[in-house]
Short mmCIF file of all heavy atoms in Angstrom, two decimals:
data_model
loop_
_atom_site.label_atom_id
_atom_site.label_comp_id
_atom_site.label_asym_id
_atom_site.label_seq_id
_atom_site.Cartn_x
_atom_site.Cartn_y
_atom_site.Cartn_z
N GLU A 1654 29.59 -40.72 63.65
CA GLU A 1654 28.59 -40.71 62.59
C GLU A 1654 29.25 -40.90 61.23
O GLU A 1654 28.71 -41.55 60.33
CB GLU A 1654 27.83 -39.39 62.60
CG GLU A 1654 26.92 -39.16 63.75
CD GLU A 1654 27.62 -38.72 65.04
OE1 GLU A 1654 28.86 -38.54 65.00
OE2 GLU A 1654 26.96 -38.61 66.07
N GLU A 1655 30.43 -40.29 61.09
CA GLU A 1655 31.14 -40.44 59.81
C GLU A 1655 31.63 -41.88 59.63
O GLU A 1655 31.63 -42.41 58.51
CB GLU A 1655 32.33 -39.47 59.75
CG GLU A 1655 31.93 -38.03 59.60
CD GLU A 1655 33.13 -37.08 59.65
OE1 GLU A 1655 33.90 -37.15 60.65
OE2 GLU A 1655 33.26 -36.27 58.77
N VAL A 1656 32.10 -42.47 60.71
CA VAL A 1656 32.58 -43.86 60.63
C VAL A 1656 31.46 -44.76 60.13
O VAL A 1656 31.64 -45.55 59.19
CB VAL A 1656 33.09 -44.35 62.01
CG1 VAL A 1656 33.43 -45.85 61.93
CG2 VAL A 1656 34.34 -43.50 62.42
N SER A 1657 30.29 -44.60 60.69
CA SER A 1657 29.11 -45.41 60.24
C SER A 1657 28.77 -45.09 58.80
O SER A 1657 28.43 -45.99 58.02
CB SER A 1657 27.92 -45.08 61.12
OG SER A 1657 28.18 -45.37 62.45
N PHE A 1658 28.86 -43.84 58.46
CA PHE A 1658 28.53 -43.41 57.09
C PHE A 1658 29.43 -44.10 56.08
O PHE A 1658 29.02 -44.63 55.08
CB PHE A 1658 28.66 -41.89 57.05
CG PHE A 1658 28.37 -41.26 55.74
CD1 PHE A 1658 27.10 -41.28 55.22
CD2 PHE A 1658 29.39 -40.64 55.00
CE1 PHE A 1658 26.81 -40.67 53.98
CE2 PHE A 1658 29.11 -40.04 53.78
CZ PHE A 1658 27.83 -40.09 53.29
N TYR A 1659 30.77 -44.06 56.40
CA TYR A 1659 31.74 -44.68 55.43
C TYR A 1659 31.67 -46.21 55.45
O TYR A 1659 32.06 -46.83 54.48
CB TYR A 1659 33.15 -44.21 55.76
CG TYR A 1659 33.45 -42.75 55.44
CD1 TYR A 1659 33.88 -41.85 56.37
CD2 TYR A 1659 33.27 -42.29 54.11
CE1 TYR A 1659 34.15 -40.52 56.06
CE2 TYR A 1659 33.52 -40.96 53.80
CZ TYR A 1659 33.95 -40.08 54.80
OH TYR A 1659 34.18 -38.78 54.46
N ALA A 1660 31.19 -46.76 56.53
CA ALA A 1660 31.08 -48.22 56.60
C ALA A 1660 29.85 -48.77 55.90
O ALA A 1660 29.74 -49.96 55.55
CB ALA A 1660 31.13 -48.68 58.03
N SER A 1661 28.84 -47.87 55.71
CA SER A 1661 27.56 -48.32 55.19
C SER A 1661 27.69 -48.98 53.80
O SER A 1661 28.42 -48.46 52.95
CB SER A 1661 26.62 -47.12 55.16
OG SER A 1661 25.46 -47.49 54.43
N LYS A 1662 26.95 -50.02 53.65
CA LYS A 1662 26.93 -50.68 52.33
C LYS A 1662 25.55 -50.53 51.69
O LYS A 1662 25.19 -51.25 50.75
CB LYS A 1662 27.33 -52.12 52.46
CG LYS A 1662 28.77 -52.31 52.82
CD LYS A 1662 29.30 -53.66 52.50
CE LYS A 1662 30.84 -53.69 52.59
NZ LYS A 1662 31.34 -54.99 52.28
N ALA A 1663 24.77 -49.61 52.26
CA ALA A 1663 23.45 -49.36 51.70
C ALA A 1663 23.56 -48.69 50.33
O ALA A 1663 24.44 -47.86 50.14
CB ALA A 1663 22.64 -48.46 52.64
N GLU A 1664 22.74 -49.15 49.40
CA GLU A 1664 22.77 -48.60 48.05
C GLU A 1664 21.55 -47.77 47.77
O GLU A 1664 20.44 -48.14 48.23
CB GLU A 1664 22.83 -49.75 47.03
CG GLU A 1664 24.15 -50.53 47.08
CD GLU A 1664 24.16 -51.67 46.10
OE1 GLU A 1664 23.77 -51.47 44.95
OE2 GLU A 1664 24.58 -52.76 46.49
N VAL A 1665 21.77 -46.68 47.08
CA VAL A 1665 20.66 -45.81 46.78
C VAL A 1665 19.95 -46.22 45.47
O VAL A 1665 20.65 -46.50 44.48
CB VAL A 1665 21.17 -44.31 46.65
CG1 VAL A 1665 20.08 -43.42 46.09
CG2 VAL A 1665 21.63 -43.82 48.01
N SER A 1666 18.67 -46.25 45.52
CA SER A 1666 17.91 -46.57 44.30
C SER A 1666 17.34 -45.30 43.70
O SER A 1666 16.73 -44.48 44.43
CB SER A 1666 16.75 -47.52 44.66
OG SER A 1666 15.84 -47.55 43.62
N VAL A 1667 17.53 -45.11 42.42
CA VAL A 1667 16.93 -43.94 41.74
C VAL A 1667 15.81 -44.35 40.83
O VAL A 1667 15.44 -43.62 39.89
CB VAL A 1667 18.01 -43.13 41.02
CG1 VAL A 1667 19.01 -42.51 41.96
CG2 VAL A 1667 18.72 -43.96 39.94
N VAL A 1668 15.22 -45.51 41.12
CA VAL A 1668 14.18 -46.05 40.29
C VAL A 1668 12.97 -45.10 40.17
O VAL A 1668 12.45 -44.85 39.10
CB VAL A 1668 13.72 -47.43 40.78
CG1 VAL A 1668 12.42 -47.89 40.09
CG2 VAL A 1668 14.81 -48.45 40.56
N LYS A 1669 12.62 -44.49 41.30
CA LYS A 1669 11.45 -43.61 41.29
C LYS A 1669 11.72 -42.40 40.40
O LYS A 1669 10.87 -42.01 39.57
CB LYS A 1669 11.13 -43.14 42.71
CG LYS A 1669 9.88 -42.29 42.80
CD LYS A 1669 9.59 -41.88 44.24
CE LYS A 1669 8.39 -40.94 44.30
NZ LYS A 1669 8.14 -40.43 45.66
N ALA A 1670 12.88 -41.83 40.51
CA ALA A 1670 13.25 -40.65 39.68
C ALA A 1670 13.28 -41.06 38.20
O ALA A 1670 12.84 -40.32 37.33
CB ALA A 1670 14.59 -40.07 40.12
N LYS A 1671 13.77 -42.24 37.92
CA LYS A 1671 13.90 -42.72 36.54
C LYS A 1671 12.48 -42.93 35.95
O LYS A 1671 12.17 -42.43 34.87
CB LYS A 1671 14.66 -44.03 36.46
CG LYS A 1671 16.17 -43.84 36.66
CD LYS A 1671 16.91 -45.13 36.50
CE LYS A 1671 17.18 -45.37 35.06
NZ LYS A 1671 18.21 -46.41 34.84
N ASN A 1672 11.63 -43.62 36.74
CA ASN A 1672 10.30 -43.93 36.25
C ASN A 1672 9.37 -42.76 36.15
O ASN A 1672 8.59 -42.62 35.23
CB ASN A 1672 9.69 -45.05 37.08
CG ASN A 1672 10.45 -46.38 36.92
OD1 ASN A 1672 11.21 -46.56 35.99
ND2 ASN A 1672 10.21 -47.29 37.83
N THR A 1673 9.46 -41.90 37.13
CA THR A 1673 8.52 -40.77 37.23
C THR A 1673 8.98 -39.55 36.44
O THR A 1673 8.20 -38.87 35.81
CB THR A 1673 8.33 -40.37 38.72
OG1 THR A 1673 8.06 -41.53 39.45
CG2 THR A 1673 7.13 -39.45 38.85
N LEU A 1674 10.31 -39.29 36.55
CA LEU A 1674 10.83 -38.02 35.96
C LEU A 1674 11.57 -38.25 34.66
O LEU A 1674 11.93 -37.31 34.00
CB LEU A 1674 11.75 -37.33 36.97
CG LEU A 1674 11.22 -37.10 38.39
CD1 LEU A 1674 12.32 -36.45 39.24
CD2 LEU A 1674 9.99 -36.17 38.35
N GLY A 1675 11.86 -39.47 34.37
CA GLY A 1675 12.70 -39.76 33.22
C GLY A 1675 14.15 -39.41 33.48
O GLY A 1675 14.94 -39.14 32.56
N TYR A 1676 14.48 -39.40 34.77
CA TYR A 1676 15.86 -39.02 35.15
C TYR A 1676 16.89 -40.09 34.79
O TYR A 1676 16.63 -41.25 35.11
CB TYR A 1676 15.90 -38.75 36.68
CG TYR A 1676 17.32 -38.74 37.26
CD1 TYR A 1676 18.13 -37.60 37.10
CD2 TYR A 1676 17.78 -39.83 37.99
CE1 TYR A 1676 19.41 -37.62 37.64
CE2 TYR A 1676 19.06 -39.81 38.51
CZ TYR A 1676 19.87 -38.71 38.33
OH TYR A 1676 21.13 -38.71 38.88
N THR A 1677 17.91 -39.69 34.10
CA THR A 1677 19.03 -40.63 33.84
C THR A 1677 20.32 -39.86 34.03
O THR A 1677 20.56 -38.84 33.38
CB THR A 1677 19.00 -41.12 32.36
OG1 THR A 1677 17.69 -41.60 32.09
CG2 THR A 1677 20.01 -42.22 32.13
#
Side-chain angles (χ1 to χ4, degrees):
Chain A
E1654 290 80 2
E1655 289 176 307
V1656 173
S1657 301
F1658 180 67
Y1659 288 123
S1661 168
K1662 292 200 168 180
E1664 292 179 45
V1665 169
S1666 163
V1667 293
V1668 168
K1669 184 179 176 185
K1671 287 184 82 165
N1672 292 343
T1673 312
L1674 309 177
Y1676 164 77
T1677 308

